[in-house]
Amino acid sequence: MDTDDVLRLIQEVAAEVVTPRFGHLTDDEVGEKGPGDLVTAADREAEARIGEALRRAYPSALVLGEEAVADDAGLLDAFRTADHAFTLDPVDGTRNFVHGSPDHAVMVAELRAGEVVRSWIWQPQHEAAYVAERGAGAWRDGERLQRPPVAADLHGVTGRRSWVGRALGTLRALELTWVCCGVDYPKLVEGAADYAVFGSTKPWDHAPGSLLLTEAGGAVGHFDGTAYRPQQDPPFGLVAAADAEVLALVQGLAGALPLPRR
């Protein structure tokens, strides 16, 4: 499948099984994978349909879907050693989706030999398509993206609510993100914030946006200074930044943030 084919796939599936349920979910279409971790019929159906199409097009590739991992955590072990793989987040920002926020997305990333080589983010309610290809750039609706210069007073955001209001060194206090990686990364690319700090590093959340950001001139790495690699079993804590200089600055300060234990 070429890049446009994959984008059309996720747009069509979103139009058929995600968007019709937005604002119309019934009680029996919403459940929990764990305490407070929501899943909907839209998540499950979209993952099944997109995953089936990817497996049909790429029989030897591993498809790592968020909902499949919830049922079989062993898939993560297979993913870490796969030479060719896709990550799939059928409804990123499920809580937003359930509560009527337009800030949700369908996301796919393709990895070869451990590197993200293509990624797709479709925001159905915003009708915005973000596509990136390693070495070829990042795009929104066919328009080339370039991360704008950073603000003099760096603006940092986080999706971890316990970190909101904390200041890293002399930087201004962290504000809440859009609580959806499929919106957070595009917002970083477009200049709505200069950096974001995340606690969780799940590959289906960060693989698509990390390529979009780096292809637009940004940088991504862990709190401990190591590079982001979706197939590694990394330490908690991830920084996504406007450029390499901001990344290094924030990495040197983010270690003060309290991280969950494994």
Side-chain angles (χ1 to χ4, degrees):
M1 301 173 76
D2 67 23
T3 300
D4 289 341
D5 290 335
V6 178
L7 178 60
R8 280 192 293 270
L9 168 65
I10 65 176
Q11 287 174 324
E12 289 170 2
V13 171
E16 292 169 8
V17 306
V18 177
T19 298
R21 290 185 168 102
F22 181 59
H24 301 284
L25 286 164
T26 60
D27 288 345
D28 63 350
E29 289 182 314
V30 182
E32 289 189 341
K33 294 177 285 187
D37 190 4
L38 298 179
V39 62
T40 73
D43 294 83
R44 296 194 184 282
E45 189 173 342
E47 179 167 305
R49 291 183 55 174
I50 295 170
E52 179 184 6
L54 291 173
R55 292 184 190 95
R56 189 165 56 246
Y58 301 97
S60 63
L62 183 144
V63 178
L64 185 78
E66 178 180 6
E67 308 315 325
V69 171
D71 296 330
D72 179 7
L75 286 172
L76 274 171
D77 294 328
F79 170 73
R80 291 187 182 107
T81 60
D83 185 61
H84 187 198
F86 288 86
T87 65
L88 168 55
D89 195 336
V91 184
D92 184 51
T94 298
R95 181 170 294 277
N96 290 352
F97 178 72
V98 169
H99 292 291
S101 168
D103 289 339
H104 56 269
V106 184
M107 304 197 298
V108 172
E110 181 182 14
L111 292 85
R112 290 187 180 271
E115 298 283 348
V116 186
V117 295
R118 295 191 293 173
S119 71
W120 301 261
I121 299 173
W122 170 238
Q123 299 170 353
Q125 292 302 309
H126 298 305
E127 297 187 341
Y130 297 86
V131 177
E133 189 166 355
R134 181 168 292 277
W139 310 82
R140 172 180 171 161
D141 300 330
E143 181 178 348
R144 184 73 176 259
L145 292 170
Q146 185 64 39
R147 163 69 212 198
V150 299
D153 181 17
L154 292 179
H155 177 200
V157 295
T158 181
R160 188 173 286 273
R161 293 179 188 275
S162 62
W163 292 352
V164 173
R166 287 178 173 266
L168 301 181
T170 60
L171 300 181
R172 61 195 275 193
L174 292 167
E175 298 177 6
L176 186 66
T177 68
W178 298 263
V179 201
C180 167
C181 286
V183 176
D184 293 347
Y185 278 95
K187 289 287 191 182
L188 279 169
V189 170
E190 293 166 352
D194 296 308
Y195 69 92
V197 288
F198 302 95
S200 174
T201 57
K202 293 172 182 174
W204 49 83
D205 286 331
H206 296 282
S210 66
L211 182 64
L212 184 80
L213 181 59
T214 55
E215 284 296 313
V220 182
H222 294 292
F223 286 8
D224 65 357
T226 57
Y228 172 62
R229 295 286 185 271
Q231 285 182 311
Q232 291 180 353
D233 187 14
F236 284 108
L238 191 69
V239 180
D243 58 32
E245 185 177 349
V246 175
L247 174 64
L249 171 65
V250 177
Q251 283 176 314
L253 298 169
L257 292 171
L259 289 168
R261 295 181 179 178
R262 288 195 178 279

